[in-house]
Amino acid sequence: MKRGFKQANWTVLALTLVLTCLVSACEGNGTKSASGNSPTPAVTPAPEPSKQAESKGTTSPEASSEHKRIKVGFSMDTLLEERWLKDRDMFKAAVEAQGADVEVMAANGDDAKQIFQAETLISDGVDILVVVPHNAEAMAAIVKKAHSAGIKVLAYDRLIKNADVDLYVSFDNEKVGELQVQAIMKRVPQGKYVYIGGADTDNNAHLFKKGVFNVLQTFIDQGAISIVYDQWTKDWTPANAKINMEDAISANGNRIDAVIAANDATSGAIIQVLAAHGMAGKVPVAGMDADLAAAQRIVEGTQTMTVYKPIKVLATKAAELAVKLAKGEDVGADRKVNNGKIEVPSVLLAPIAVDKSNIDETIIADGFHSRDEVYMNVKK
Ligand code: BGC
């Protein structure tokens, strides 16, 4: 029994040695590549996460959030008016100058279309939504939708009412109305005034009118000035402003001493009606926006003044703050404007009154319009 046991032990030992040799020999050979030069381990260790990403030609999550380009969605009411084309181009350039991208959509006055377009921008994954609302109330729904998608909303030039708007960047719009009436009152300190406002659906139209009446009310109360016509202009269209001015004349004949129009597109139509009645150049007219045609009418003498709102300043400020909002940075808004729901953090820029006396040093000096264009129809 003893001998048989020893023999069996030796056999097991010998077999174990052979097997160990064979295994180590296999390992030694197996580490060679086909070329026999570059050894590779039996099991490839997982590359570090950053290397893994690099090998796919992408960047790590940290790197990608650092370098990701911000995308700004710009939902505009309309591009059918001169000023908004400037806003679009200047805003786009200002966003791009900051290394961000912008996607622009314009609804040309159609509320349902603007809501649909803003929803599209949200689902396209913009990082911030900038809105020029056609309808101050209707766009509140979009603010809610954007917020549920984690996107902040900046109201550009026009406020969105009854919504948790994150930031409002505009001009001091009450001041616009005050500048208009101050300029007209220098020529007509007493008499019969016509007020033709903007679109009732645009919060700015209400602010412009408030500014006008802030100044006028005392003179109305004293009996020095009377308002013989006061009407909104649906959708700000010149066609509707023309109807308004015709109504004002048929109600008052030529007993009109001054007209305040909420913008230059409407003042152009109003002056056409005045011209048809032989009153152009005799009745002072105020407008706003410093449209080229209005600047020409000012030097020609049919429009008294306009209010210049430097769009480049607005577009640049809004673009800078939109990118900051998208990055979650502080925007340092120094004003608050109540929109019916909250006190909206706001930045309000200064408007400038322009008439014949300062047109050269304002809109022409700024390059808003060239001197040649402005004086095109008059001898210099
Ligand atoms: C803007 C004006 C513009 C008007 C009509 C207002 O909200 O502030 O500059 O003329 O809309 O588009």
Side-chain angles (χ1 to χ4, degrees):
M1 280 290 289
K2 254 190 172 178
R3 197 170 151 241
F5 174 76
K6 267 189 191 162
Q7 256 180 354
N9 268 351
W10 279 113
T11 315
V12 168
L13 192 66
L15 272 171
T16 309
L17 276 170
V18 169
L19 271 174
T20 310
C21 257
L22 273 173
V23 168
S24 64
C26 274
E27 277 178 356
N29 289 332
T31 54
K32 302 277 181 200
S33 71
S35 70
N37 292 329
S38 51
T40 48
V43 179
T44 311
E48 292 161 33
S50 60
K51 297 245 172 76
Q52 209 170 12
E54 271 163 28
S55 70
K56 278 198 218 151
T58 59
T59 48
S60 69
E62 307 90 79
S64 69
S65 68
E66 256 173 43
H67 295 117
K68 183 181 166 281
R69 278 172 79 88
I70 299 284
K71 187 168 170 191
V72 180
F74 194 25
S75 162
M76 303 186 75
D77 163 19
T78 185
L79 283 174
L80 297 178
E81 289 167 41
E82 182 180 315
R83 80 149 278 187
W84 299 113
L85 294 167
K86 279 195 194 293
D87 286 89
R88 181 202 52 195
D89 295 346
M90 290 175 172
F91 182 73
K92 194 166 181 286
V95 168
E96 286 168 357
Q98 292 182 76
D101 295 320
V102 61
E103 189 177 345
V104 183
M105 292 198 178
N108 295 338
D110 181 334
D111 282 342
K113 193 169 178 186
Q114 188 170 22
I115 288 174
F116 176 76
Q117 290 177 336
E119 284 169 346
T120 308
L121 291 169
I122 293 169
S123 55
D124 280 357
V126 295
D127 299 292
I128 171 88
L129 190 62
V130 177
V131 182
V132 185
H134 169 252
N135 184 313
E137 303 276 350
M139 287 309 271
I142 279 304
V143 179
K144 262 196 176 168
K145 286 201 174 155
H147 282 175
S148 353
I151 300 167
K152 289 190 175 146
V153 179
L154 184 157
Y156 180 105
D157 192 71
R158 297 177 180 167
L159 189 56
I160 301 171
K161 299 283 302 267
N162 297 314
D164 295 312
V165 176
D166 297 284
L167 184 66
Y168 171 47
V169 184
S170 184
F171 290 91
D172 183 338
N173 293 307
E174 271 188 50
K175 180 84 183 161
V176 168
E178 291 170 5
L179 293 175
Q180 288 183 313
V181 76
Q182 282 158 358
I184 295 299
M185 281 193 68
K186 275 193 204 152
R187 287 158 181 87
V188 184
Q190 49 189 33
K192 298 183 189 320
Y193 275 51
V194 166
Y195 184 74
I196 299 187
D200 191 17
T201 47
D202 176 355
N203 188 58
N204 282 354
H206 293 266
L207 297 174
F208 301 143
K209 183 170 181 178
K210 188 164 185 293
V212 167
F213 283 85
N214 283 347
V215 177
L216 274 187
Q217 200 55 53
T218 322
F219 301 92
I220 295 170
D221 294 345
Q222 289 169 358
I225 287 171
S226 58
I227 305 295
V228 295
Y229 186 85
D230 174 3
Q231 196 54 255
W232 299 114
T233 302
K234 190 176 182 303
D235 284 337
W236 289 98
T237 64
N240 290 330
K242 187 167 179 269
I243 295 170
N244 280 340
M245 193 61 217
E246 278 160 355
D247 286 353
I249 291 184
S250 52
N252 298 282
N254 60 2
R255 294 179 306 280
I256 289 170
D257 300 309
V259 182
I260 298 176
N263 76 354
D264 287 336
T266 53
S267 70
I270 288 164
I271 289 167
Q272 277 174 15
V273 177
L274 287 173
H277 290 82
M279 295 158 77
K282 294 181 186 148
V283 176
V285 178
M288 176 200 60
D289 280 339
D291 281 356
L292 176 59
Q296 290 169 340
R297 289 191 294 269
I298 288 173
V299 297
E300 287 161 23
T302 54
Q303 180 164 330
T304 313
M305 64 90 67
T306 185
V307 179
Y308 170 44
K309 301 187 295 185
I311 292 172
K312 194 162 189 191
V313 180
L314 172 68
T316 309
K317 193 76 195 162
E320 176 203 321
L321 298 183
V323 171
K324 278 194 171 177
L325 269 185
K327 289 181 178 167
E329 292 173 6
D330 179 38
V331 291
D334 56 345
R335 303 274 292 263
K336 297 267 187 243
V337 175
N338 190 290
N339 73 344
K341 185 171 189 199
I342 58 162
E343 294 288 324
V344 183
S346 305
V347 173
L348 301 182
L349 306 164
I352 301 159
V354 172
D355 62 14
K356 229 181 215 172
S357 70
N358 67 347
I359 202 160
D360 283 78
E361 66 248 29
T362 52
I363 60 181
I364 293 173
D366 261 15
F368 198 70
H369 301 302
S370 75
R371 194 165 202 282
D372 285 347
E373 288 172 319
V374 171
Y375 289 89
M376 200 169 76
N377 307 318
V378 293
K379 283 198 196 113
K380 281 175 242 176

